[in-house]
Amino acid sequence: AVATSGTLALQVDDAGRLRIGPEADSQRTSHTSQLSASDENVLSIQQPVNTVGAKSSIGFWNRNSNDAAVVYGKINSEIKQNNAGNHIGDLVFSTVTGGSLGERVRITGAGRVGIGTSSPSTLLHVSGGDITANQNLLIRGSDSNGVFIRNGANTAWNCQLQGNGNASFLGNVGIGTTSPQSKASFLTTS
């Protein structure tokens, strides 16, 4: 055990866990580390509160050009619902841009992943940017309906690439032109 100014700071308990901080288990806000060979948590972070919105965090700090310690990233576990036996939590990843810490990715308790949104409504919900693939992009559905491309309001589909190889488009289609004037416009050059 190690103490500073008479306060317990570090110890290895009888179960082989590394304890940091003087708190009792019921009030522990710091971490424990399991040093034995088991499938238990190696690192546990716990807040002594149970209110919706409460977070347990891991912060990643470095020094800026003024040699000041600043946070560059953070991972939060956030309570979304705290009913005993039916609790729900999200995992939130945040990074710093322009000196401000902001949420970038969220994994909900339901397994939905949001990039650029804190409330993903689908299994993968990307908001506010493009998705770029440098090689092949594979989008696979669970049935023969294929892939739908919807308008910005998500109220109607504009394009459907069907599982059987057919394609359906609403509006005009252009090949060789970016401004088709009819249902099918082809631009030919000699």
Side-chain angles (χ1 to χ4, degrees):
V2 176
T4 57
S5 302
T7 301
L8 184 63
L10 179 72
Q11 70 173 330
V12 177
D13 68 11
D14 293 338
R17 294 176 294 199
L18 175 63
R19 303 275 185 175
I20 298 175
E23 300 90 356
D25 281 345
S26 63
Q27 298 298 316
R28 183 161 295 281
T29 59
S30 53
H31 76 274
T32 63
S33 178
Q34 187 74 30
L35 300 178
S36 62
S38 72
D39 59 357
E40 293 292 321
N41 296 334
V42 173
L43 175 66
S44 296
I45 300 172
Q46 177 183 335
Q47 287 285 10
V49 295
N50 65 354
T51 56
V52 171
K55 298 174 182 142
S56 296
S57 301
I58 300 173
F60 298 91
W61 292 71
N62 290 301
R63 297 199 170 272
N64 66 12
S65 60
N66 291 333
D67 203 31
V70 294
V71 66
Y72 279 82
K74 186 179 278 192
I75 302 172
N76 292 324
S77 171
E78 180 179 341
I79 297 174
K80 300 303 283 184
Q81 179 176 309
N82 64 353
N83 300 341
N86 192 26
H87 48 284
I88 298 172
D90 288 1
L91 195 58
V92 179
F93 297 83
S94 301
T95 60
V96 170
T97 298
S100 295
L101 185 69
E103 179 177 329
R104 307 297 179 228
V105 176
R106 177 179 293 258
I107 303 172
T108 70
R112 294 178 174 166
V113 177
I115 301 173
T117 178
S118 61
S119 54
S121 58
T122 58
L123 193 57
L124 175 61
H125 184 159
V126 179
S127 180
D130 296 334
I131 300 173
T132 303
N134 291 331
Q135 298 294 322
N136 297 322
L137 178 62
L138 173 64
I139 301 173
R140 183 177 296 167
S142 61
D143 58 30
S144 61
N145 288 329
V147 176
F148 291 87
I149 300 173
R150 296 187 177 271
N151 63 15
N154 200 25
T155 57
W157 63 272
N158 295 336
C159 173
Q160 178 186 15
L161 306 175
Q162 298 171 348
N164 62 8
N166 292 337
S168 302
F169 300 91
L170 295 179
N172 298 337
V173 177
I175 298 176
T177 178
T178 58
S179 54
Q181 301 301 311
S182 61
K183 289 293 182 189
S185 295
F186 300 92
L187 178 64
T188 59
T189 59
S190 18

